[in-house]
Amino acid sequence: MAVDKLMTKSEMTEADIRDLYITPAIEKKWDKFQQIKREYYFTDGQVIVRGNTVARGKRKFADYLLYYKPNLPIAIVEAKDNNHNVGDGMQQAIEYALALDVPFVYSSNGDAFLEHDMKKGTEREISMDDFPSPEDLWKRYKEDNNITKEQEQVITIPYHFETGSKTPRYYQRVAINRTIEAISKGQKRILLVMATGTGKTYTAFQIVHRLWKSGYKKVLYLADRNILIDQTMGQDFRPFEKVMTKVESKKLDSSYEIFFALYHQLAGDENDEPFRQFTPDYFDIVVVDECHRGSAKDDSRWRKILEYFDNAIQIGMTATPKETKEVSNITYFGDPVYTYSLKQGIDDGFLAPYKVRRVNIDVDLEGWRPYKDQKDLNDELIEDREYNVKDFDKNLIIDERTQLVAHRVSELLKKENDRFAKTIFFCVDIEHAERMRQALVNENSDLVAENPKYVMRITGDNQEGKNQLDYFIDAESKYPVLVTTSMLMTTGVDCKTVKYIVIDKNIESTSEFKQIIGRGTRLQERYGKMFFTIIDFRNVSRIFADPEFDGKPVVSEEYNKDGELISVDAGYTFEDENTKQEVHEPEYLYGKDDSSQLSGKRVKYHVNNVNVQVLSERVQYYDKDGKLITESLTDYTKKNILGEYASLDEFLKAWTVYGKKAAIIDELKDKGVLLEELRNISGNNDMDDFDLICHLAYDAKPLTKQERINNVKKTDYLNRYQGLARDVLDALLEKYMNDGIDQLEDPAVLTLDPFREIGSPTKIASLFGGREGYINAVQGLVSQIYQQVGA
């Protein structure tokens, strides 16, 4: 940027200060091509959804991110203009450093640098000429963290990279680096907690690649489903294709270096355990995918694999650490070396936010009770008691309830003109999934007639359905569309285009709930998948309100007065490789008074001709703080605007500042206020943004653009200008009428018709006495446009 040599430092912009002072000071000792990244954007900006309108929030970026090695960022520098103090950028820089896991932080206004040492918690001011070199900072980092020469060799191994391939996102890099450093220091068990859809497998690949390059050659990768292994080998781990193999029989081929296997297949049966073909010290690394699924359970037959290869480095990866009496990932692996939560992923814009549509059915809220001596459709005498939502489809089937759920969802898809949106229905059990499939077929017979695979049941007992799972996952495949399941698709199914998650089962486990909604969290902008909708028929989404929902897991145990365990987190299902059946760990420990459960027999009554209807329904949105908005969009808008501008006068004063309007709208967007959706709700597309805001927040009557233009013409303002200058202002009013206020204030408008007929932007500015005169004229015109506010 060219800067007037006579311009004082205090007159320079922040960009000028960076270019003339900060960048040269850094480039004296740092390679500008390999070690300096300017304006390093590390988030995508939260996806904001209101109604069917979608927008992106602001992306976070550091002014400078400095690298010791390509995979090792070591410092952040935040810049301010010279009207700020040297440390005014420090607090923001520290916030970014915490996210990026960077040890040294700097703030500068061009006069000096303020340094903050994250490890020691100390600060010092240094001159512009004394900015430290990469070697200086790396030496300090090694000393502060007691890193030996041998450890340094492991830590500095670069990532795997091929031209055109992706590179780790910031949180993946942090997870990889923390894991590598922990291993280099001798830690044998590592736990990584990363929300579904944030790239756990890719992170695992980069960890394994760097360790493999540093000499850890024998790797065992454990998962609990074939589809997880096939996806992993065919996608993220593909660069290892010459040295990796999938264990598909009980005979293991030691000529390979990286082995993929199912837990239960490798464990085998007593006295027939395939993993014992290898010596206990054969593997250097064991990666445990989805490690919440029982692999760390003390009495699990899978646990013996981990115990057998106890000398190996064991890396557990999960979205939902499991902490109960029977299963504890933390007790086994230790505290997570890194956690990247669902909320953080949504806030950063890497995961899709959600809407929640809660549907309340009368029998769920009021219960159902049989009349005296009533028998069900199988001629079974129905036990006389009140049945509620926890009984439905588990102990009592009401046909009309199943049909209502199928009808309500199908109706919504039709209303949204989204009938080919991929949708998963989570049902109580396989039998319920089949009945739901039939109900959906009847509700969508027109599309089922075109292709019977429009509706499919995908459960562990049905091979035809399981054969369609890959097609459901494939974004390019149109069918299947509506899929019913019970537990088979709760985890690991990487279907990026799922837009609706329908929950019609009772869920008490936060882990299971997180896994289920994780099926929808992947963003797929190419296919128009920017958010997903949870349609909740069982009030399961109440779990969102649990303060522990997105917090750090803790080991918790609950006993009764006799010392007996009385609560256990819900179990999970895996697919038995031999029987191809879903095997479900106990979901509850039943009390002594539940004789039907203790005996292993469960009576399920089946009735029909029950009057069932929806009592209420409401839609909630994910807001900027990660909470569900329960108020109307108009009320939410009013609250946020009044929180920023308490009175109409305050808002009017801010709005009429030249060039400020876009910033105001961006600020409102970051708070979740999308004017486009509010305009759609109002039904008045001719309403100016100003009038829309004033109407919603201050109850002012909106004026049309034409009314505002007429009001301007009634004043004496335009008569102050003559000839071509007056023609320019008249043309600007016409631009305002057609394109809004942004066009009027944008200097680039002068390059468009009809201004080009008048002359160049420089010539037009000269009609007003120069650039400053033109800006003053436009600012005066804007003030006139907004001078009147509707009563």
Side-chain angles (χ1 to χ4, degrees):
M1 175 181 289
V3 178
D4 192 329
K5 294 184 182 298
L6 299 178
M7 186 181 294
T8 65
K9 212 172 188 181
S10 62
E11 293 175 317
M12 293 181 184
T13 66
E14 181 184 305
D16 297 333
I17 295 295
R18 289 199 304 263
D19 290 341
L20 295 176
Y21 295 96
I22 299 175
T23 299
I26 296 172
E27 287 184 353
K28 284 180 182 179
K29 300 173 184 176
W30 297 71
D31 187 314
K32 66 179 180 180
F33 298 110
Q34 300 295 324
Q35 295 181 305
I36 303 173
K37 285 190 178 179
R38 295 187 58 176
E39 293 193 348
Y40 173 74
Y41 284 86
F42 59 93
T43 72
D44 280 357
Q46 181 182 325
V47 177
I48 303 164
V49 182
R50 297 294 178 266
N52 290 317
T53 301
V54 178
R56 283 273 192 182
K58 292 179 182 177
R59 300 174 65 194
K60 292 181 180 179
F61 71 94
D63 288 330
Y64 300 83
L65 185 64
L66 307 182
Y67 289 79
Y68 173 66
K69 296 285 185 181
N71 56 308
L72 293 173
I74 197 167
I76 278 178
V77 183
E78 283 299 305
K80 293 293 180 183
D81 64 42
N82 200 247
N83 294 309
H84 288 81
N85 295 320
V86 66
D88 282 354
M90 182 56 72
Q91 292 190 156
Q92 182 184 50
I94 289 174
E95 178 189 337
Y96 292 169
L98 288 170
L100 297 172
D101 211 25
V102 172
F104 300 103
V105 188
Y106 297 88
S107 173
S108 179
N109 63 353
D111 288 340
F113 289 99
L114 181 67
E115 178 191 81
H116 183 97
D117 187 318
M118 296 291 288
K119 181 76 172 181
K120 295 179 179 177
T122 58
E123 292 190 352
R124 63 174 181 143
E125 189 170 304
I126 57 178
S127 72
M128 298 299 290
D129 292 329
D130 291 331
F131 192 81
S133 69
E135 291 72 26
D136 291 337
L137 293 185
W138 181 244
K139 181 181 179 182
R140 288 168 58 186
Y141 178 79
K142 288 194 297 180
E143 290 173 352
D144 291 344
N145 292 276
N146 300 313
I147 294 174
T148 66
K149 185 176 181 179
E150 292 74 19
Q151 292 166 358
E152 181 182 10
Q153 291 175 344
V154 176
I155 292 169
T156 54
I157 294 287
Y159 296 119
H160 176 271
F161 178 74
E162 296 176 356
T163 303
S165 66
K166 60 186 177 182
T167 56
R169 290 172 172 167
Y170 86 87
Y171 61 87
Q172 294 168 337
R173 175 189 55 74
V174 175
I176 297 162
N177 285 353
R178 285 194 183 180
T179 301
I180 297 295
E181 187 164 327
I183 291 170
S184 75
K185 292 182 175 182
Q187 189 169 329
K188 299 293 290 283
R189 291 177 179 170
I190 309 288
L191 179 63
L192 286 175
V193 179
M194 297 173 66
T196 301
T198 57
K200 289 191 297 295
T201 310
Y202 175 70
T203 301
F205 162 71
Q206 289 288 4
I207 291 170
V208 169
H209 180 270
R210 288 175 63 182
L211 292 173
W212 188 73
K213 283 289 186 182
S214 61
Y216 297 85
K217 290 296 185 180
K218 296 295 185 178
V219 181
L220 174 62
Y221 190 105
L222 294 171
D224 70 339
R225 295 189 188 170
N226 264 316
I227 189 170
L228 296 180
I229 289 178
D230 293 342
Q231 285 178 348
T232 300
M233 295 180 69
Q235 296 173 15
D236 292 318
F237 273 73
R238 195 167 189 173
F240 281 124
E241 60 184 342
K242 292 182 180 180
V243 296
M244 68 180 176
T245 185
K246 178 182 177 181
V247 177
E248 295 186 279
S249 66
K250 293 186 177 182
K251 186 174 181 180
L252 308 183
D253 187 346
S254 61
S255 64
Y256 291 93
E257 296 183 350
I258 299 177
F259 296 79
F260 291 82
L262 298 171
Y263 297 116
H264 41 288
Q265 182 183 20
L266 197 62
D269 301 316
E270 197 68 34
N271 301 319
D272 185 17
E273 300 164 326
F275 67 85
R276 296 188 187 277
Q277 295 178 39
F278 294 112
T279 60
D281 60 353
Y282 184 82
F283 288 109
D284 301 312
I285 305 168
V286 178
V287 178
V288 187
D289 191 16
E290 301 288 0
C291 68
H292 65 277
R293 298 285 298 278
S295 59
K297 187 175 179 180
D298 286 337
D299 61 356
S300 171
R301 61 187 179 136
W302 304 335
R303 175 71 172 267
K304 60 189 175 183
I305 301 175
L306 303 183
E307 291 174 342
Y308 183 77
F309 297 115
D310 189 54
N311 289 330
I313 295 162
Q314 296 180 0
I315 303 170
M317 308 191 74
T318 181
T320 53
K322 196 166 184 177
E323 300 308 320
T324 69
K325 169 66 175 177
E326 289 198 343
V327 183
S328 175
N329 299 122
I330 291 176
T331 301
Y332 185 82
F333 288 102
D335 288 329
V337 298
Y338 184 65
T339 297
Y340 188 72
S341 67
L342 171 68
K343 180 182 181 300
Q344 191 62 55
I346 294 175
D347 290 349
D348 287 345
F350 297 126
L351 295 180
Y354 46 81
K355 292 194 297 185
V356 176
R357 183 177 291 269
R358 291 186 176 180
V359 185
N360 296 317
I361 300 174
D362 56 354
V363 293
D364 293 358
L365 299 178
E366 299 167 1
W368 180 88
R369 184 176 181 178
Y371 56 78
K372 184 176 174 57
D373 297 328
Q374 182 176 351
K375 294 185 177 182
D376 75 349
L377 297 178
N378 298 315
D379 205 32
E380 289 276 355
L381 180 65
I382 303 173
E383 180 185 352
D384 185 13
R385 66 177 178 88
E386 185 173 283
Y387 295 83
N388 57 40
V389 68
K390 291 191 175 182
D391 292 302
F392 298 146
D393 301 295
K394 177 182 177 183
N395 302 314
L396 177 72
I397 298 166
I398 300 177
D399 283 339
E400 286 76 15
R401 190 189 177 285
T402 306
Q403 293 159 9
L404 178 63
V405 171
H407 173 74
R408 186 67 196 95
V409 176
S410 300
E411 185 181 58
L412 175 64
L413 295 180
K414 292 172 185 176
K415 181 180 178 182
E416 298 286 341
N417 196 28
D418 210 9
R419 295 185 71 188
F420 281 92
K422 296 201 174 183
T423 304
I424 306 177
F425 290 73
F426 286 98
C427 303
V428 169
D429 55 24
I430 290 174
E431 181 186 351
H432 184 205
E434 172 57 23
R435 287 186 288 102
M436 187 64 71
R437 183 197 68 80
Q438 295 173 25
L440 287 167
V441 166
N442 290 329
E443 286 290 337
N444 299 276
S445 57
D446 56 334
L447 295 181
V448 173
E450 293 178 11
N451 190 318
K453 291 176 181 166
Y454 177 78
V455 180
M456 293 291 294
R457 168 166 65 92
I458 301 181
T459 51
D461 69 321
N462 185 272
Q463 191 59 46
E464 290 76 12
K466 288 197 296 182
N467 289 343
Q468 295 300 312
L469 184 55
D470 286 343
Y471 295 104
F472 183 72
I473 291 171
D474 185 359
E476 300 289 345
S477 178
K478 191 173 183 178
Y479 301 99
V481 179
L482 309 183
V483 164
T484 68
T485 191
S486 55
M487 292 294 293
L488 187 59
M489 298 176 69
T490 54
T491 64
V493 178
D494 186 10
C495 183
K496 297 180 175 64
T497 53
V498 166
K499 293 178 71 175
Y500 293 89
I501 302 290
V502 181
I503 301 178
D504 193 26
K505 63 182 296 183
N506 302 310
I507 300 173
E508 300 297 331
S509 162
T510 299
S511 294
E512 184 181 356
F513 178 61
K514 274 183 147 180
Q515 290 289 345
I516 284 176
I517 65 172
R519 300 312 101 212
T521 55
R522 289 161 172 85
L523 275 168
Q524 196 73 356
E525 297 188 45
R526 175 184 169 190
Y527 296 94
K529 160 64 182 310
M530 297 294 289
F531 65 95
F532 68 104
T533 300
I534 301 166
I535 308 177
D536 180 9
F537 287 93
R538 306 258 181 161
N539 196 28
V540 173
S541 51
R542 70 187 185 282
I543 295 175
F544 281 123
D546 184 344
E548 298 300 320
F549 174 76
D550 211 29
K552 182 179 178 181
V554 295
V555 179
S556 60
E557 304 171 357
E558 186 177 356
Y559 299 87
N560 65 16
K561 60 184 177 62
D562 298 319
E564 297 173 326
L565 180 66
I566 59 174
S567 69
V568 178
D569 206 6
Y572 288 89
T573 304
F574 63 89
E575 179 187 330
D576 187 283
E577 184 66 14
N578 298 315
T579 64
K580 304 296 183 180
Q581 299 292 310
E582 287 183 307
V583 180
H584 188 230
E585 298 173 19
E587 190 164 345
Y588 304 99
L589 290 184
Y590 298 103
K592 294 179 180 179
D593 59 336
D594 193 340
S595 58
S596 64
Q597 295 296 349
L598 286 173
S599 66
K601 179 182 179 183
R602 187 176 73 186
V603 177
K604 184 183 290 191
Y605 303 110
H606 192 166
V607 299
N608 60 14
N609 293 324
V610 177
N611 184 24
V612 177
Q613 59 185 330
V614 172
L615 283 185
S616 63
E617 189 169 326
R618 62 174 173 166
V619 178
Q620 298 171 294
Y621 297 90
Y622 185 95
D623 79 353
K624 66 182 179 65
D625 298 317
K627 300 183 184 302
L628 288 172
I629 303 167
T630 57
E631 57 201 325
S632 70
L633 290 184
T634 52
D635 290 342
Y636 180 77
T637 299
K638 184 172 184 176
K639 182 177 72 176
N640 277 279
I641 293 172
L642 292 177
E644 193 73 26
Y645 308 99
S647 69
L648 178 56
D649 286 342
E650 283 186 38
F651 177 69
L652 182 59
K653 183 178 180 181
W655 185 262
T656 52
V657 174
Y658 183 82
K660 175 73 172 175
K661 296 163 194 61
I664 291 174
I665 292 172
D666 283 345
E667 287 171 8
L668 292 175
K669 183 176 71 174
D670 285 338
K671 293 177 181 292
V673 176
L674 303 186
L675 297 183
E676 182 182 345
E677 179 62 21
L678 291 162
R679 188 175 285 106
N680 291 338
I681 293 173
S682 74
N684 185 351
N685 292 323
D686 190 42
M687 200 184 304
D688 185 286
D689 287 344
F690 174 82
D691 283 285
L692 180 61
I693 292 170
C694 289
H695 175 58
L696 293 173
Y698 307 105
D699 299 318
K701 179 183 177 182
L703 301 178
T704 65
K705 293 176 188 174
Q706 188 60 60
E707 287 174 325
R708 293 200 170 278
I709 291 172
N710 292 340
N711 288 336
V712 172
K713 291 180 177 179
K714 290 175 184 177
T715 70
D716 190 50
Y717 183 77
L718 293 175
N719 295 329
R720 301 177 192 175
Y721 300 90
Q722 303 296 324
L724 290 176
R726 170 65 184 265
D727 292 342
V728 169
L729 295 181
D730 286 335
L732 286 172
L733 284 176
E734 189 67 25
K735 279 292 181 185
Y736 163 70
M737 179 67 194
N738 296 329
D739 302 311
I741 197 68
D742 290 343
Q743 279 280 314
L744 189 149
E745 288 191 329
D746 187 353
V749 74
L750 298 181
T751 63
L752 307 176
D753 289 331
F755 302 101
R756 284 188 295 194
E757 298 175 4
I758 298 174
S760 67
T762 302
K763 179 182 177 181
I764 291 174
S766 70
L767 298 174
F768 298 87
R771 182 176 181 274
E772 186 175 345
Y774 170 77
I775 290 175
N776 288 337
V778 173
Q779 191 165 1
L781 185 61
V782 171
S783 296
Q784 292 297 317
I785 289 173
Y786 295 113
Q787 190 172 52
Q788 292 192 21
V789 179

